[in-house]
Amino acid sequence: MEQWLWPSGGAWLLVAARALLQLLRADLRLGRPLLAALALLAALDWLCQRLLPPLAALALLAAAGWIALSCLARPPRLPVATRTVLITGCDSGFGKEAAKKLDAMGFTVLATVLDLESPGALELRACCSPHLKLLQMDLTKPADISRALEFTKAHTSSTGLWGLVNNAGLNELVADAELSPVATFRTCMEVNFFGTLQLTKGLLPLLRRSRGRIVTLGSPAGPVHSVNCWERSKQLLLANLPQELLQAYGEDYIEHIYKQFLHSLSLAVPDLSPVVDAIVDALLATQPQHRYYPGRGVGLMYFIHHYLPQSLRRRFLQAFFISPCVPRALRPGKPGSTPAQDEARESDPKPGPSPTVSQ
């Protein structure tokens, strides 16, 4: 009678891993994720030896190994060849790093900056190839956008335009809507929506002709100023706020919001490569994703925001990001409040959203 012998010490795992590595070796991301996957497969091997019949265990482990290593494999990518990409907002941050990365890969990069003499623009001139072209553009100025469209058409007449990376963005909001000037909202919308829309519409014929791609960056808060800029914005807000509003909210309330912003900055990761890698993949993957969530834990945050009930979302935000603070006029014991209102606030100190009435 024939007897099945299970390879001791997970020897079969090494054979299977070597075979899969041979098959996928050109596409695997080498590093900790691969080592972690192999460690998990080894643990699964140990469990299967003790809990399952040999054939069932072998089938389960082979499937798990194939799925794990396939997930770690880089998706097939298109060749760079002579592709041209326009990137907005290359003075700093993701735009500047993406321009450097794509230039090093062989793209012809058209990089827009607010100031051709800014430190970021000077850095791109110094470290990138002659294929990278700098163009001054302010998305709040239609004349700048029109000039950028003509510039792009002139520089892509022979190669075509393969990609548009809408990276430029702005967030100047320091405090609540009632405390922020309407002009601040208009400026943000001009940059983040209307200017981006006008540029994208103008480039669609070129992108359609080359069957190219549009990559638009976004975040829950949008790109933000440096700490010094936010400090100036806060001081400007306090200096120009009507006395009635300052009395209703309290200077300590505005200071609390500012400190929360500084705390969120301390949680930021200085490594920009996950976002830059996502941009590259979106431009070159044969089957790009509709949405990318680069960065550790970002996908989980979006899942919580979109799919969990509002009460759980609020608890999550308050536990990790937002420390609640009530404006001075709404605190218990303030003029105009009744004992019943004070009691209700004390029983629920965390302010919730204003109710919405449907008709």
Side-chain angles (χ1 to χ4, degrees), residues 285-303:
T286 55
Q287 294 183 326
Q289 302 175 35
H290 291 291
R291 289 183 177 86
Y292 290 81
Y293 301 107
R296 187 178 302 172
V298 176
L300 176 62
M301 289 176 57
Y302 275 90
F303 175 83

Side-chain angles (χ1 to χ4, degrees), residues 44-92:
L44 184 61
D45 167 46
W46 183 85
L47 286 174
C48 287
Q49 290 188 49
R50 286 153 179 79
L51 301 177
L52 295 176
L55 280 179
L58 185 60
L60 175 62
L61 285 167
W66 177 257
I67 292 172
L69 295 180
S70 296
C71 290
L72 291 171
R74 293 187 181 93
R77 287 184 173 179
L78 301 170
V80 173
T82 58
R83 302 183 195 274
T84 301
V85 175
L86 172 67
I87 310 174
T88 64
C90 295
D91 299 85
S92 61

Side-chain angles (χ1 to χ4, degrees), residues 202-282:
L203 293 175
L204 278 175
L206 297 177
L207 293 163
R208 184 164 50 244
R209 197 172 306 143
S210 63
R211 298 182 177 271
R213 299 178 179 179
I214 301 172
V215 181
T216 300
L217 277 68
S219 79
V224 295
H225 286 318
S226 67
V227 176
N228 290 335
C229 290
W230 273 70
E231 174 64 29
R232 288 195 297 270
S233 298
K234 183 194 73 172
Q235 297 299 335
L236 189 64
L237 174 68
L238 290 172
N240 293 280
L241 201 62
Q243 189 63 32
E244 180 184 357
L245 281 179
L246 183 60
Q247 187 68 25
Y249 279 84
E251 187 172 343
D252 60 327
Y253 178 84
I254 298 174
E255 188 67 32
H256 175 83
I257 294 175
Y258 177 67
K259 289 180 178 178
Q260 272 195 163
F261 168 74
L262 294 182
H263 174 68
S264 66
L265 279 187
S266 69
L267 301 177
V269 178
D271 181 17
L272 306 184
S273 60
V275 175
V276 174
D277 291 342
I279 293 172
V280 173
D281 190 76

Side-chain angles (χ1 to χ4, degrees), residues 58-127:
L58 185 60
L60 175 62
L61 285 167
W66 177 257
I67 292 172
L69 295 180
S70 296
C71 290
L72 291 171
R74 293 187 181 93
R77 287 184 173 179
L78 301 170
V80 173
T82 58
R83 302 183 195 274
T84 301
V85 175
L86 172 67
I87 310 174
T88 64
C90 295
D91 299 85
S92 61
F94 299 132
K96 184 182 71 173
E97 296 305 315
K100 290 160 64 176
K101 173 79 171 182
L102 294 176
D103 176 75
M105 293 176 66
F107 280 91
T108 297
V109 178
L110 309 180
T112 76
V113 293
L114 276 174
D115 183 359
L116 290 172
E117 299 303 319
S118 67
L122 296 177
E123 180 182 343
L124 290 175
R125 279 201 195 96
C127 69

